[in-house]
Amino acid sequence: MKFKSIIGCILCGYFIIGCSVNNQDKTFLKQVEFEEHTSLNEKVKMAAHVVPTQQQLDWQKLELTAFIHFTVNTFTNMEWGHGDESPEIFNPSELDARQWAKTLSDAGMKMVILTAKHHDGFCLWPTKTTQHSVVSAPWKDGNGDVVKELSEACKEFGLKFGVYLSPWDRNAECYGDSPKYNEMFNQQLTELLSWYGKVDEVWFDGACGEGPNGKKQEYDWASYYATIKNLQPDAVIAIMGEDVRWVGTETGYGRETEWSVTAYAPGGRPEMAIINEQLELQATSNDLGSRSIIEKANHLFWYPAEVDVSIRPGWFYHEHEDNQVKSLTKMVDIYFNSVGMNAVLLLNIPPDTRGLIHENDVARLKEFKAYLDETFEDNLILNAECSNEAAAKLAIDNDYDTYWQIDNLPTAATFKLSQPQKINVIMLQEYIAKGQRVEQFKVEARVNGAWTEVAKGTTIGYKRLLRFPNIIADAVRVTIEQARDGALINAIGLFASPEILSEPVIQRNREGLVSIKAETTHPVITYTLDGTEPTAASARYSQSFSLPDGGTVKARAFINDFGSQSSVVTQQFDICSQKWTIAGVSAQTEQFKPINAIDGDPNTMWHTPWGDNVPTHPHYIAIDLGEQLNIIGFSYTPRADHNKSGTIFKYVFYVSQDGKTWQAVKTSGEFSNIKNNPVKQDIRFNKSYQARFIKLESKEGAFNEPWVSIAELGVITK
Ligand code: FUL
């Protein structure tokens, strides 16, 4: 096998990339380029020896990191600001970055990344590049600096610190004048990376909502990376950077098979884009690193996944989402599907208009931390007897840098526990300092003398966590079945996680009937309609009840004679759609009728014809509300299934008295960030309108398709 020099050296020359060609243990630091005619077997073996940089390795070990989204949007109630917001509105009454840092460090987070500048262009630090910043805000009479306050608080609480700087800038006048904006952007980076001490991660968002007629800016990625390498050589560069990869969704869930070695080329440089075009790969592709992709690839990269997700539906704080902080069950599920699937979790916790992390989020983070502590405090395998493989002991010695080396596959190791124990979680870790290799494994447990398979999987990577139903076992057997080269397992864990009583689900149908269900068998559910927290003494739910005009329903589940309780779930309902009818649509299909958009069921949808030669935008749906209502806004719920095709991005919203003369109340509306985060969006108007009819007209889809889909359309009257 011959090795060619690494493409990074040829292409740009600013990564120090080495390849030690020691025959025992060849490694390719961060990337490798294949010689022509390299066989698949050789390629796969080389893939096993692509290793992370020290920075990437240190980053991976953080596991839990936090995002802070805070800017003018916090005060305008928006997800994407337009860039024309007055700095006057930026006025947090009690901003306390120490409260953020303490809350996050108490929650087990190891780093905090702040949106120093989001798409609206407002800078949270006193930049010299624009007046559109904290210097023009009333907060601290223009003398405030959020970046400084948070970076100092992070130092105090032992947290690493990162900055998010949006390349897309809707305020900068020079955006679109490429050389000029690149200079401004590099200046902003220089300030952020030289004024505030150590910066550990720089986050470049790939989002841009300019559309076909918008401004076109050619980002000079190579110069941005050079600025960072120069000022903060230890920082990893994420998303549109070359060290850390966006996992591809904002749901909190990574891939079942997650390779840190990808054929998907990192960052934004044109030469990387060409590689991805040739292989037809995107950050969102299902498969970035399997053997079949490697077969086609000429290069491989160490490009590990980061899972970014918000604790609330939106990235910025919205008061109306105070009751939609993700449940403990959901948070734990996200943890197992991110940290437990070879990724780093980047959990967003957006401060409110006071400049504080809201009480509801603080409470949930405490529960989350307590749950993880209780689950992982006692690794039951550490005292196990390793019966058949002396070498496997190295995986249970609690030393990260020693490992069980498995050269002949498949190989199993049995770990005998001192006594039968309740278990429901297995943890496996690969020693990724030497590469990611395992392609298939299984775990069996001995229950009452009989072996049964409890978990199996494909990739392990830095960490793999698998959950299975409670069992009482006295031994476990781990079999590494397939790998790209000798497998190196440096840690195995066996845990008993506490049961979480799952929260009830509150639903209301078109007729206004509310039903509450829980997954747990035979729970007692109590609820309130007055906004108070349900307790054991609150009304018991036994059958559906009517709430046609809307209101707030809070519910909680109990088991064990009220001995264990779930967290509280809240659902806010507006007026129900019982009296509504469809007054008109631009196009329809038999399968997905317009009525589905107002049937109260988010699992059904209206969809216009799709495929070739179908009607295109503007599409519309008009609804007769059956009565005059005082409308202050509307809500759009994108389709519920995994496929988000037809999701609307830009729209106009109209009201009418008679269904003939329409008044546009939102002329250039946009469902911000709906492509990446397709959740229900509440759009509020500046004033209220008396209307009997409403109409939503699409202008542009989120995925450049000519058709549209709507799961639910609702009005806000309260
Ligand atoms: C997206 C952005 O458009 C969102 O507003 C948010 O910042 C998220 C983390 O990245 O691409």
Side-chain angles (χ1 to χ4, degrees):
M1 214 186 305
K2 282 194 229 138
F3 305 110
K4 216 176 177 181
S5 65
I6 311 298
I7 60 154
C9 307
I10 305 165
L11 296 177
C12 62
Y14 45 75
F15 286 127
I16 305 159
I17 291 156
C19 106
S20 76
V21 211
N22 163 345
N23 276 337
Q24 290 302 309
D25 203 359
K26 314 162 191 79
T27 61
F28 307 98
L29 187 63
K30 205 174 180 192
Q31 45 190 331
V32 64
E33 181 177 7
F34 300 126
E35 287 245 292
E36 236 183 291
H37 309 303
T38 309
S39 71
L40 176 61
N41 277 348
E42 284 172 322
K43 282 179 164 186
V44 167
K45 190 143 187 174
M46 286 161 84
H49 293 264
V50 177
V51 300
T53 62
Q54 188 61 45
Q55 291 85 344
Q56 287 176 313
L57 184 59
D58 293 345
W59 169 84
Q60 189 87 50
K61 288 182 181 172
L62 300 177
E63 301 191 5
L64 283 177
T65 62
F67 227 162
I68 293 271
H69 273 65
F70 189 66
T71 186
V72 286
N73 296 349
T74 313
F75 302 89
T76 56
N77 218 2
M78 290 173 74
E79 278 291 292
W80 279 359
H82 292 299
D84 57 1
E85 293 76 19
S86 164
E88 284 293 318
I89 59 171
F90 185 84
N91 200 8
S93 50
E94 314 167 38
L95 188 140
D96 182 1
R98 294 185 68 254
Q99 186 250 4
W100 308 354
K102 179 166 190 318
T103 302
L104 299 172
S105 134
D106 286 352
M109 303 292 157
K110 297 292 185 292
M111 170 160 65
V112 182
I113 301 178
L114 170 70
T115 53
K117 179 187 84 169
H118 202 252
H119 310 323
D120 52 81
F122 183 79
C123 297
L124 295 186
W125 79 103
T127 175
K128 298 201 171 104
T129 61
T130 170
Q131 286 293 105
H132 195 59
S133 80
V134 278
V135 298
S136 308
W139 178 60
K140 298 201 165 172
D141 294 325
N143 294 313
D145 183 343
V146 187
V147 180
K148 180 161 187 271
E149 293 196 16
L150 183 57
S151 61
E152 284 172 359
C154 282
K155 279 182 201 105
E156 180 183 340
F157 289 94
L159 291 160
K160 289 179 181 284
F161 177 64
V163 289
Y164 166 116
L165 188 68
S166 172
W168 182 35
D169 188 322
R170 294 177 122 175
N171 177 268
E173 244 168 60
C174 61
Y175 185 87
D177 175 342
S178 295
K180 232 174 159 183
Y181 179 73
N182 285 328
E183 200 186 312
M184 173 176 175
F185 194 80
N186 267 315
Q187 186 57 38
Q188 295 187 334
L189 267 179
T190 303
E191 293 173 358
L192 287 171
L193 303 182
S194 44
W195 292 358
Y196 303 101
K198 194 150 188 294
V199 173
D200 299 282
E201 181 163 339
V202 180
W203 217 90
F204 288 146
D205 202 325
C208 176
E210 288 295 323
N213 303 319
K215 294 183 181 174
K216 287 204 171 41
Q217 167 71 35
E218 301 273 337
Y219 302 117
D220 185 1
W221 297 108
S223 75
Y224 307 166
Y225 303 160
T227 303
I228 300 168
K229 289 283 155 202
N230 183 23
L231 297 169
Q232 297 281 347
D234 288 337
V236 289
I237 314 174
I239 316 308
M240 294 310 290
E242 299 189 343
D243 302 308
V244 169
R245 165 171 55 92
W246 179 46
V247 77
T249 78
E250 294 180 357
T251 58
Y253 292 75
R255 291 174 183 77
E256 182 73 32
T257 298
E258 189 64 81
W259 287 105
S260 292
V261 177
T262 67
Y264 176 63
R269 287 184 294 138
E271 47 271 52
M272 297 300 187
I274 291 170
I275 296 178
N276 291 330
E277 268 160 40
Q278 280 166 353
L279 292 171
E280 293 179 25
L281 290 178
Q282 293 170 344
T284 50
S285 305
N286 273 340
D287 177 5
L288 301 174
S290 71
R291 284 181 183 234
S292 67
I293 298 279
I294 291 179
E295 186 160 25
K296 290 181 245 161
N298 295 322
H299 317 88
L300 293 176
F301 305 88
W302 187 272
Y303 200 28
E306 177 179 77
V307 171
D308 63 326
V309 61
S310 185
I311 195 166
R312 291 161 172 251
W315 287 97
F316 287 90
Y317 174 82
H318 308 291
E319 193 185 347
H320 69 267
E321 291 180 357
D322 281 350
N323 287 316
Q324 293 179 55
V325 175
K326 289 191 168 61
S327 68
L328 179 62
T329 320
K330 182 80 181 168
M331 299 265 290
V332 168
D333 212 35
I334 285 175
Y335 177 85
F336 276 92
N337 283 281
S338 54
V339 176
M341 297 226 286
N342 189 30
V344 168
L345 175 60
L346 176 59
L347 180 69
N348 178 61
I349 300 103
D352 60 19
T353 51
R354 294 170 303 175
L356 297 176
I357 295 180
H358 190 271
E359 291 73 1
N360 293 1
D361 308 56
V362 174
R364 187 54 37 79
L365 287 171
K366 275 197 183 132
E367 284 177 13
F368 178 58
K369 176 69 162 56
Y371 184 89
L372 294 184
D373 284 351
E374 207 180 325
T375 299
F376 295 108
E377 71 192 348
D378 194 7
N379 183 353
L380 301 169
I381 213 166
L382 292 184
N383 298 320
E385 202 183 299
C386 185
S387 49
N388 58 347
E389 276 277 353
K393 275 192 184 146
L394 296 170
I396 58 166
D397 64 356
N398 223 6
D399 179 346
Y400 184 83
D401 291 307
T402 61
Y403 46 83
W404 168 28
Q405 175 156 350
I406 312 155
D407 292 320
N408 300 313
L409 296 155
T411 285
T414 304
F415 303 91
K416 213 169 142 246
L417 305 175
S418 47
Q419 66 194 70
Q421 307 252 18
K422 179 182 126 184
I423 52 169
N424 53 26
V425 173
I426 179 102
M427 176 191 83
L428 297 168
Q429 291 194 270
E430 269 184 272
Y431 192 60
I432 57 161
K434 297 202 167 189
Q436 185 187 351
R437 300 168 179 197
V438 175
E439 289 177 308
Q440 199 181 309
F441 66 90
K442 70 173 178 198
V443 181
E444 295 152 296
R446 193 168 62 196
V447 181
N448 294 329
W451 285 101
T452 109
E453 184 176 291
V454 292
K456 63 176 176 186
T458 51
T459 45
I460 295 177
Y462 166 73
K463 185 176 268 191
R464 189 70 211 264
L465 295 164
L466 297 114
R467 289 185 286 183
F468 48 88
N470 290 339
I471 50 168
I472 310 285
D474 67 351
V476 292
R477 184 159 68 201
V478 175
T479 310
I480 305 299
E481 298 172 305
Q482 195 185 314
R484 292 179 169 180
D485 200 354
L488 312 173
I489 305 297
N490 65 324
I492 302 179
L494 209 51
F495 307 96
S497 67
E499 194 185 339
I500 317 179
L501 176 51
S502 51
E503 298 79 12
V505 178
I506 308 170
Q507 277 169 327
R508 191 186 63 171
N509 68 10
R510 181 160 146 83
E511 285 71 44
L513 272 188
V514 175
S515 56
I516 313 178
K517 292 195 184 87
E519 264 176 37
T520 325
T521 32
H522 309 305
V524 174
I525 297 172
T526 69
Y527 70 97
T528 64
L529 296 175
D530 61 2
T532 58
E533 298 277 285
T535 62
S538 306
R540 270 198 195 200
Y541 174 80
S542 57
Q543 61 182 47
S544 51
F545 56 88
S546 185
L547 202 67
D549 295 332
T552 303
V553 184
K554 285 181 181 266
R556 175 177 246 158
F558 298 87
I559 49 168
N560 302 335
D561 215 8
F562 295 99
S564 333
Q565 59 179 39
S566 74
S567 35
V568 174
V569 275
T570 307
Q571 270 295 343
Q572 256 142 348
F573 296 106
D574 211 293
I575 195 143
C576 80
S577 55
Q578 189 174 21
K579 297 180 187 158
W580 303 6
T581 50
I582 302 294
V585 284
S586 52
Q588 56 178 305
T589 54
E590 246 326 279
Q591 202 180 348
F592 302 112
K593 298 196 175 66
I595 190 75
N596 293 346
I598 54 168
D599 66 355
D601 181 356
N603 295 310
T604 63
M605 63 172 159
W606 166 55
H607 200 302
T608 63
W610 64 96
D612 296 331
N613 305 318
V614 291
T616 185
H617 305 278
H619 280 290
Y620 76 89
I621 182 165
I623 293 159
D624 178 353
L625 303 169
E627 64 189 327
Q628 286 272 341
L629 291 177
N630 207 20
I631 303 174
I632 58 169
F634 76 99
S635 63
Y636 168 51
T637 310
R639 60 191 288 183
D641 53 336
H642 190 66
N643 184 344
K644 297 297 171 195
S645 182
T647 299
I648 301 169
F649 174 38
K650 294 196 174 162
Y651 66 85
V652 182
F653 193 84
Y654 303 86
V655 296
S656 166
Q657 302 288 353
D658 56 7
K660 291 183 190 102
T661 326
W662 295 95
Q663 180 190 0
V665 297
K666 272 267 176 192
T667 45
S668 45
E670 135 192 307
F671 297 118
S672 306
N673 199 33
I674 199 140
K675 181 176 170 186
N676 290 333
N677 192 20
V679 296
K680 177 178 174 215
Q681 294 210 1
D682 283 346
I683 307 294
R684 278 156 209 270
F685 311 139
N686 296 331
K687 52 180 254 206
S688 68
Y689 298 90
Q690 277 281 330
R692 158 137 190 191
F693 294 83
I694 57 168
K695 180 162 82 174
L696 176 67
E697 183 181 76
S698 72
K699 287 288 175 201
E700 205 180 300
F703 303 98
N704 295 324
E705 302 148 328
W707 53 86
V708 301
S709 61
I710 297 183
E712 284 302 300
L713 196 62
V715 294
I716 305 175
T717 63
K718 298 181 174 64

